[in-house]
Amino acid sequence: MSTINTDNIQSQMKKGLLEFCILSIIKRGESYPSDIVAELKESGMQVLEGTIYPLLTRLKNAGYLEYRWVESTTGPPRKYFTMSESGKEFYNSLETTWIEISTAVEHITKAKRNQQ
Amino acid sequence: MEKIIQIEYQGRNFSIEESAYQIFQQYELDLKQFFSKEEEGDEIFADLQYRMSEILEQRCGQQTIYKKDIEALIEMIGKPIDFETNDTGNEKKSTLYTSLKKKLFRDKKDKIIAGVCSGIANYFSIDPIIVRLIFILFTIFNIVTFLSFNIGILAYILFWVILTPAILEPNVSKKLFRNPKDKILGGVCSGIAQFFNIETWIVRLLFLSPILLGFLSNHSNFSFVNVELISHSFYVLSIVSYILLWFIIPMAKVTTDYMLLKGEPININTIQNTTTMQDLTNKNNNGLNKFFRVIAYFIIALIMLIMIPTAIGILIAVTFSYNVADVVLFTNANKVLAMLSLTLFIALPIIGLIIWVIRKILGYKPNKSLRAIFIGLNTIGWVSIILLAASMVKQNNTYSSTMQKISLPSNIDTLYIASTDTSNLYNEVVFFDINQVNFLMEKTTDYNLIKSVDINYQESKDSSIYIEIEKSSFGENRGFAFKHATDAVFEYQLDSNILKLPAHVSVTNKEPYYLQNVQVTVYVPEGKTVITAKKYNRQINKNFHSSKRGIYINHHDRNVDEDYIFTHRSFQMQDQEDQNEKLKDAQEKLKETEEAQLELIKEKERELAEAKHKLDQDKSDQLKEIEELKNKK
């Protein structure tokens, strides 16, 4: 029971942040999903492509992302994602929350460490 | 050496090792299945497919794709089970599932017709197979018992209309699947073995043993018990149940199916275990599998050998007795249905089986469009045979009969049964007699004469010989059935000790044939004898043989071409000689009566000849007189 809860909490934490990270990568400019994965991995965030695609599709259907087909040299055209206006608003609200939470968490965990 | 195949995937061409391609297809199916639960699943799946083709191209280009490449691909994309833990949708689904749990739905996902059985199973948290089996057995039982409406089918249609469809999550931890990884015909046995966690060959042997027993009993003589009958019914049962299970148990497709089959909890560890285990089952028991495969094909070949002549026989019978269709089916609609079911339900599967075996031998891959055409046509056959059966059952669902008793004077010791039918049609015994097949004797302007007369011989408790004639019929209801039975004409003539019976029952041709039948039962008291002329036996015994309870003396086989002699004696064994003497007496008596009859006929003929002669003489005398008179003039 307890292990399942830990798993669950960890995945919950990861999931919320993953969306935030993806959005911040796309905010910088037009991106291709596998490039997003590569960048996430580079910064030390372990993620599977099979997880990214559903998230992108959901964000796109929510209106936060847009995509266009870009001709590729090797095969059929690829799907590139950009951020929409409402996506930017959504990103800003997420960013505010993130800053709030991260400062709070930082503060709490630091205080605890100092106590020890 | 592994086979390497060329595929086109997402607009790109690859060459890939066959086993690697199988793993890839399996993985793709797993993904599809996983995402199909979500609204935007199709889009996600399409994106992933594109991405996979891109990865494969980047990795291998024009080179052959091996197992390790596919494994690397799976590592990049991830297994469905890994997405699940990262997904809040998981919780949404489980709450949805609990809210659905206590309501009855039709299952949109796991269905054969409309998902009724699967929905009911889900409601009770049991394997849908159980509900399907109960439903099928109930329906078959219902058909066999000739009820005018089928409760099973009716209930199914009712549920179909009333229940709303929903996508239901499977809520059983163990589920029966057919196992395509280790199959000989349909993977039924190995699926059952996996389900019960026993060795596959045990289940196979259980299915095969009745058939093997059948062969054994055919070639050995167990006279004390009827082994043959028992084993025959068992092997029909084992073949029928295999086909039935093949039809209703779904094929395991994705990894989670295999785990449900074994009743394992689904998580990352078990999924990994399963993938390695699947490879194992493939290599396991290879020699044993070969053995079972040989036997399976041998049985199929045998069934074909039996089925093909049977089908040809049916076709010949139907062609030659085309007028049977007129009498029994009666309406054009029924005739069309009969033709459709004959070709699409009987002939087509046999042709299909032959094609299948030939293709298998020549090593062709299964052809999807061919299979689709076959299934489509066969479905029409199924529908028409069901409609035809329904129409026939509606027409003939109630039975009724009427009885008539003829008592003979007690001084008659020997009754002689002969035929009223003077036709010579049945006098000759030939090897293949079309008239045996054709139960319709003749058509007159108002009647169809139908060979549907049985004769039974029984011991009488009375002191004199008596005969019961029971006319029976089916009909839409009791009243109609009784009317058809009484309207059927069966006229006998009794002339002292000679009873003349028709070999047919006459039925009006303004209506279809309602299976009218005449049962003649002759009750013979101790010490008296009934002798049935062989000509009459030939006329009636071909299609509807008589059941001969009681004691009969002169032969053990109804096909022996002799007069049929029945005497009643008490059940205590009497001396054989005594019996033989009685028999001789009876035969002598018959001969005497026949001789006497012949004598009588000869005498009559002689008298007739004399009379004629006399007449002729008179005539010539008169002519002479006339001439004399003329001369005188």
Side-chain angles (χ1 to χ4, degrees):
Chain A
M1 203 53 202
S2 63
T3 51
I4 292 169
N5 272 339
T6 335
D7 274 355
N8 220 352
I9 290 165
Q10 279 171 345
S11 69
Q12 291 294 314
M13 280 166 86
K14 229 173 149 185
K15 202 240 159 186
L17 291 173
L18 189 61
E19 266 174 56
F20 180 53
C21 292
I22 291 170
L23 283 169
S24 76
I25 292 170
I26 297 174
K27 193 174 171 256
R28 273 188 267 128
E30 203 170 48
S31 329
Y32 186 62
S34 67
D35 296 338
I36 300 174
V37 175
E39 195 174 335
L40 286 170
K41 277 186 175 163
E42 243 170 63
S43 4
M45 226 168 147
Q46 284 309 313
V47 71
L48 294 162
E49 298 208 14
T51 333
I52 296 291
Y53 277 94
L55 278 181
L56 287 172
T57 310
R58 263 178 235 136
L59 287 167
K60 181 209 78 187
N61 286 348
Y64 302 138
L65 295 180
E66 282 158 359
Y67 70 88
R68 67 186 188 97
W69 294 101
V70 175
E71 289 295 331
S72 86
T73 46
T74 54
R78 299 162 138 202
K79 239 180 187 177
Y80 274 77
F81 287 89
T82 48
M83 194 173 273
S84 68
E85 281 310 309
S86 69
K88 277 172 191 157
E89 274 170 40
F90 178 61
Y91 177 76
N92 288 336
S93 74
L94 279 184
E95 197 179 31
T96 325
T97 320
W98 169 243
I99 291 167
E100 278 169 20
I101 291 174
S102 64
T103 19
V105 171
E106 187 79 351
H107 187 75
I108 293 163
T109 46
K110 235 181 214 163
K112 210 179 174 185
R113 255 178 259 152
N114 289 344
Q115 265 180 13
Q116 281 169 351
Chain B
M1 268 301 284
E2 266 290 349
K3 213 169 144 191
I4 287 163
I5 51 173
Q6 300 294 324
I7 56 160
E8 200 218 313
Y9 185 69
Q10 297 289 310
R12 293 179 161 98
N13 292 311
F14 297 105
S15 53
I16 182 168
E17 212 182 23
E18 199 173 23
S19 64
Y21 186 52
Q22 275 170 5
I23 298 171
F24 178 69
Q25 279 182 313
Q26 177 74 53
Y27 175 64
E28 209 189 4
L29 253 173
D30 284 1
L31 284 180
K32 191 174 185 177
Q33 171 102 350
F34 177 79
F35 287 114
S36 68
K37 293 170 195 160
E38 293 174 47
E39 229 174 275
E40 56 276 275
D42 289 344
E43 194 182 347
I44 298 170
F45 182 63
D47 283 352
L48 278 171
Q49 276 184 313
Y50 173 76
R51 177 65 189 145
M52 288 192 290
S53 78
E54 200 177 50
I55 291 172
L56 286 176
E57 188 174 57
Q58 278 166 6
R59 221 187 128 82
C60 305
Q62 294 308 306
Q63 285 166 317
T64 310
I65 301 165
Y66 294 104
K67 215 169 162 183
K68 62 171 173 30
D69 300 312
I70 299 297
E71 275 160 7
L73 170 87
I74 294 173
E75 200 152 300
M76 277 178 86
I77 305 283
K79 283 184 177 145
I81 219 75
D82 305 330
F83 316 149
E84 195 116 8
T85 45
N86 284 335
D87 196 351
T88 40
N90 201 9
E91 276 166 280
K92 238 190 277 162
K93 249 172 269 150
S94 58
T95 48
L96 188 72
Y97 151 65
T98 39
S99 70
L100 292 183
K101 195 180 176 183
K102 280 298 141 203
K103 268 185 92 180
L104 195 54
F105 286 96
R106 284 195 287 122
D107 198 336
K108 250 164 96 176
K109 227 169 66 191
D110 180 13
K111 62 177 183 181
I112 287 177
I113 302 171
V116 170
C117 290
S118 174
I120 293 170
N122 199 287
Y123 183 77
F124 291 110
S125 297
I126 51 173
D127 192 339
I129 309 286
I130 298 167
V131 184
R132 285 185 190 133
L133 258 180
I134 293 172
F135 168 74
I136 287 176
L137 292 178
F138 190 75
T139 309
I140 290 171
F141 179 74
N142 226 205
I143 288 171
V144 171
T145 51
F146 280 106
L147 271 173
S148 49
F149 58 96
N150 197 301
I151 297 168
I153 293 171
L154 214 70
Y156 195 95
I157 293 169
L158 211 69
F159 275 122
W160 193 344
V161 174
I162 292 171
L163 298 182
T164 46
I167 296 177
L168 300 177
E169 280 299 304
N171 55 1
V172 280
S173 54
K174 220 170 149 97
K175 214 173 155 220
L176 193 55
F177 283 100
R178 284 185 287 121
N179 184 1
K181 297 271 168 193
D182 180 20
K183 67 167 188 178
I184 283 170
L185 291 177
V188 172
C189 289
S190 89
I192 292 171
Q194 296 270 319
F195 186 80
F196 291 109
N197 202 13
I198 49 175
E199 293 283 336
T200 312
W201 66 266
I202 299 175
V203 186
R204 291 200 174 124
L205 206 65
L206 277 175
F207 267 95
L208 276 180
S209 55
I211 299 163
L212 296 177
L213 196 73
F215 288 132
L216 285 181
S217 74
N218 275 347
H219 299 292
S220 57
N221 296 315
F222 300 102
S223 48
F224 50 98
V225 265
N226 203 341
V227 182
E228 209 170 292
L229 186 75
I230 296 167
S231 73
H232 269 63
S233 52
F234 271 114
Y235 84 61
V236 167
L237 191 76
S238 89
I239 291 172
V240 167
S241 57
Y242 190 92
I243 293 169
L244 189 70
L245 290 172
W246 193 346
F247 187 65
I248 64 169
I249 302 176
M251 179 78 97
K253 280 190 188 127
V254 291
T255 327
T256 45
D257 288 348
Y258 288 101
M259 294 195 308
L260 273 172
L261 175 57
K262 287 182 186 156
E264 281 169 4
I266 299 171
N267 59 50
I268 307 166
N269 287 336
T270 48
I271 286 214
Q272 275 159 359
N273 284 343
T274 318
T275 354
T276 47
M277 213 147 52
Q278 275 166 29
D279 297 338
L280 276 178
T281 39
N282 258 339
K283 285 159 197 160
N284 232 0
N285 295 335
N286 244 343
L288 215 55
N289 275 0
K290 224 172 234 171
F291 168 73
F292 281 116
R293 187 162 295 136
V294 166
I295 293 189
Y297 285 127
F298 178 67
I299 289 167
I300 290 173
L302 232 114
I303 293 173
M304 275 170 67
L305 276 178
I306 299 164
M307 268 168 84
I308 294 165
T310 313
I312 292 169
I314 292 174
L315 287 177
I316 289 175
V318 171
T319 329
F320 281 108
S321 59
Y322 61 95
N323 45 10
V324 172
D326 273 350
V327 178
V328 180
L329 302 172
F330 207 71
T331 63
N332 283 329
N334 281 348
K335 282 178 208 168
V336 170
L337 285 176
M339 225 176 63
L340 282 175
S341 24
L342 204 70
T343 46
L344 300 180
F345 189 77
I346 298 174
L348 182 81
I350 292 166
I351 296 166
L353 198 66
I354 295 168
I355 293 173
W356 181 74
V357 168
I358 291 171
R359 288 179 67 95
K360 196 100 191 165
I361 291 166
L362 296 178
Y364 283 115
K365 290 235 151 157
N367 184 332
K368 268 189 185 163
S369 54
L370 205 66
R371 180 179 296 183
I373 291 168
F374 174 80
I375 291 173
L377 289 175
N378 193 230
T379 310
I380 298 172
W382 271 94
V383 169
S384 45
I385 205 161
I386 287 169
L387 288 178
L388 182 64
S391 141
M392 296 318 280
V393 166
K394 187 176 177 285
Q395 199 179 78
N396 299 313
N397 64 52
T398 322
Y399 173 89
S400 185
S401 68
T402 159
M403 179 92 86
Q404 188 181 2
K405 186 175 166 182
I406 313 165
S407 290
L408 268 77
S410 55
N411 61 358
I412 292 179
D413 285 338
T414 307
L415 176 69
Y416 189 80
I417 297 179
S419 175
T420 54
D421 283 303
T422 47
S423 149
N424 282 324
L425 259 180
Y426 308 98
N427 267 352
E428 295 302 314
V429 178
V430 287
F431 173 67
F432 184 77
D433 188 358
I434 294 302
N435 293 305
Q436 287 181 25
V437 174
N438 196 348
F439 77 111
L440 182 71
M441 271 180 119
E442 221 183 303
K443 286 178 132 186
T444 63
T445 45
D446 294 316
Y447 288 102
N448 292 321
L449 311 189
I450 286 160
K451 272 196 344 181
S452 176
V453 177
D454 292 0
I455 186 154
N456 308 298
Y457 305 89
Q458 281 194 10
E459 48 188 306
S460 165
K461 270 131 201 134
D462 217 319
S463 63
S464 59
I465 300 174
Y466 66 95
I467 293 125
E468 276 176 1
I469 295 174
E470 186 184 21
K471 291 190 286 183
S472 65
S473 174
F474 287 86
E476 265 174 81
N477 58 45
R478 188 161 286 278
F480 277 123
F482 186 73
K483 191 175 176 297
H484 301 318
T486 40
D487 285 353
V489 180
F490 186 76
E491 276 170 342
Y492 64 89
Q493 298 160 16
L494 182 62
D495 182 11
S496 75
N497 68 342
I498 297 171
L499 177 67
K500 282 187 175 173
L501 297 173
H504 62 263
V505 47
S506 306
V507 174
T508 171
N509 61 14
K510 307 288 183 291
E511 281 175 32
Y513 173 52
Y514 290 100
L515 312 178
Q516 286 96 331
N517 168 265
V518 171
Q519 291 279 338
V520 178
T521 313
V522 185
Y523 291 87
V524 186
E526 202 174 335
K528 295 194 175 181
T529 308
V530 169
I531 301 175
T532 310
K534 66 179 173 188
K535 187 190 167 197
Y536 188 61
N537 272 331
R538 275 200 217 118
Q539 285 177 339
I540 60 158
N541 274 353
K542 299 291 180 185
N543 279 327
F544 304 94
H545 70 84
S546 53
S547 74
K548 299 166 190 117
R549 273 167 289 176
I551 307 297
Y552 53 97
I553 301 174
N554 63 335
H555 57 75
H556 299 278
D557 190 341
R558 66 190 155 85
N559 292 322
V560 172
D561 196 38
E562 276 178 50
D563 290 331
Y564 184 90
I565 302 176
F566 183 100
T567 27
H568 170 69
R569 59 177 169 82
S570 61
F571 279 98
Q572 281 107 12
M573 279 303 282
Q574 284 176 1
D575 284 343
Q576 194 69 33
E577 276 176 39
D578 201 26
Q579 272 184 41
N580 287 343
E581 242 166 70
K582 266 193 179 174
L583 175 64
K584 267 182 200 161
D585 280 355
Q587 273 173 332
E588 257 162 46
K589 261 184 200 168
L590 178 65
K591 237 182 192 174
E592 271 170 32
T593 45
E594 274 184 338
E595 271 167 19
Q597 272 180 323
L598 273 173
E599 204 88 334
L600 212 76
I601 291 168
K602 274 183 191 162
E603 213 170 285
K604 286 230 166 115
E605 273 174 358
R606 234 179 283 136
E607 274 174 23
L608 208 71
E610 269 172 32
K612 211 180 166 190
H613 187 70
K614 214 178 172 189
L615 210 70
D616 283 346
Q617 229 163 13
D618 284 355
K619 218 176 172 181
S620 58
D621 283 354
Q622 273 178 345
L623 279 171
K624 267 181 198 164
E625 266 176 46
I626 291 169
E627 229 155 86
E628 269 172 33
L629 279 173
K630 268 186 187 168
N631 285 343
K632 267 185 189 173
K633 266 188 182 175

